[in-house]
Amino acid sequence: MLHIVNKSATERSSLESCLRMATKGSAVLLIEDAVYAATNGNAAAAKIQAAAADLKIYALGPDLAARGMAGRVLDGVNVVDYGGFVDLVAEHSNCQSWL
Amino acid sequence: MQFGILVNEGPYNHEASDSAYLFARTAIEKGHKVPRIFFYHDGVNNSTRMAEPPQDDRNVTARWSKLAEEHGIDLVVCVAAALRRGIKDELLAPGFRISGLGQLVEMGIQYDRLVTFGD
Amino acid sequence: MSDMDEMDDGSGVVKKFMFLNRKAPHGTVYALEGLEVVLITAAFDQDVSMVFTDDGVYQLMKGVDTKGIEVKDFSKTYRALEGYDIEKLYVDQVSLDARGLTEDDLIVDVTVLSVDEMANLMAEQDVVISF
């Protein structure tokens, strides 16, 4: 399953809920304000890095760039463009947005 | 592959409709099909031709209309959500139509994937 | 009532639909309008599950009185779901615990799941619609 998260982890709990429920081997894509969680020094960074052991973590490049965060991405997070976003949805048999 | 897209937020207030648009356009560029996009909750506000954003901003509604015209996308606005918010047939931009929630359920049944963009 | 009329998309396909409710009622419209989608989906003879997690569990509170905020009390609609053959209602234990709630506080019978059970249930769905 592909989990899509769009909320900043320092404002809302959707990333935390997602990481709690994502089963081993599934993918998590951070878009919109959720991309901040995938950057160095963010309060959620440790959670992302711990989760990366069991989950594949992706962040949407255009949303990182738009926020001045393109150069601060955590190791272990895969940056994808919109083409990569489409591929992730196609590759996984189901997807879910943590609104 | 056939993708259905659900847009739950209005334009400008939230990034959801921008994300949905870029996803839809990119999916089509990559050879996928997006037969229908469904607008629900405040997402119905994407459909009004009365919107006049400043010249230097993107025109979200016109962008949807253009994409729909070029690729034959069915832009469906939920009737109950639309009436609540004052969106009526005579206000719709080209390519949009008002219909029931059954159109959303059909997307889930018939298409390979349903992707939701919202708040 | 018209919502109960059988609808058919002609394909005969039955998919697993999950409606994921993570938001409290009244603060925003998502719970109410989400419920409207669930009722329509019931008419399509799909395999429907409703999940209430995080603040979504607040949608199911007993003892709701909305008169003072002058909006519709739709909490009773959850009790009508059974009549629409929507019987798979799930709540997760962690979300109840984090809000000081138990099953007895809820307006309908639900199945309480552990995090692992909920995770597996989500993973096996064909379509997840979240509000």
Side-chain angles (χ1 to χ4, degrees), chain B residues 6 8-9 14 40-42 78 80-82 84-85 100-114 116 118-119, chain C residues 7-11 13-15 17 19 23 29-37 40-41 44 46 72 126-131:
Chain B
L6 171 61
N8 286 341
E9 293 300 323
H14 194 285
Y40 196 42
H41 303 300
D42 274 1
C78 169
R84 262 194 193 116
R85 294 165 176 85
L101 281 167
Q103 304 280 303
L104 166 61
V105 182
E106 272 184 18
M107 288 165 58
I109 298 172
Q110 294 172 358
Y111 302 160
D112 301 296
R113 302 285 185 273
L114 179 62
T116 303
D119 185 41
Chain C
M7 295 191 193
D8 190 353
D9 76 315
S11 65
V13 172
V14 177
K15 285 193 176 177
F17 274 75
F19 293 96
K23 296 193 174 91
V29 78
Y30 303 103
L32 170 63
E33 288 190 328
L35 200 48
E36 291 177 358
V37 181
I40 296 290
T41 307
F44 282 81
Q46 300 295 299
K72 187 163 93 178
D126 295 308
V127 180
V128 182
I129 297 182
S130 26
F131 296 110

Side-chain angles (χ1 to χ4, degrees), chain B residues 5-62:
Chain B
I5 294 175
L6 171 61
V7 181
N8 286 341
E9 293 300 323
Y12 308 110
N13 205 68
H14 194 285
E15 194 178 349
S17 89
D18 295 291
S19 301
Y21 170 79
L22 292 168
F23 181 89
R25 194 183 72 192
T26 307
I28 291 164
E29 283 166 4
K30 290 179 72 81
H32 298 290
K33 298 263 190 303
V34 181
R36 181 183 296 156
I37 299 173
F38 194 88
F39 297 86
Y40 196 42
H41 303 300
D42 274 1
V44 300
N45 292 319
N46 281 269
S47 68
T48 170
R49 62 181 169 78
M50 305 305 281
E52 287 180 44
Q55 289 292 327
D56 61 350
D57 199 354
R58 70 228 186 275
N59 187 322
V60 170
T61 302

Side-chain angles (χ1 to χ4, degrees), chain A residues 3 10 15-16 24 37 42 50-51 56 66 73 77-78 81:
Chain A
H3 297 267
T10 42
L15 177 66
E16 196 169 328
K24 193 171 179 173
N42 186 281
K56 282 176 239 126
V73 180
V77 172
N78 306 286
D81 60 9

Side-chain angles (χ1 to χ4, degrees), chain A residues 2-6 27-32 58-63 78-92 95-97, chain B residues 3 5 15-16 18-24 26-27 30 32 113-117:
Chain A
L2 172 66
H3 297 267
I4 302 166
V5 181
N6 74 336
V28 176
L29 171 64
L30 307 175
I31 68 170
E32 302 173 5
Y58 301 86
L60 194 61
D63 277 328
N78 306 286
V79 177
V80 295
D81 60 9
Y82 267 93
F85 184 175
V86 171
D87 290 343
L88 284 169
V89 174
E91 286 161 14
H92 293 84
C95 66
Q96 151 170 349
S97 299
Chain B
F3 292 104
I5 294 175
E15 194 178 349
D18 295 291
S19 301
Y21 170 79
L22 292 168
F23 181 89
T26 307
K30 290 179 72 81
H32 298 290
R113 302 285 185 273
L114 179 62
V115 189
T116 303
F117 294 87

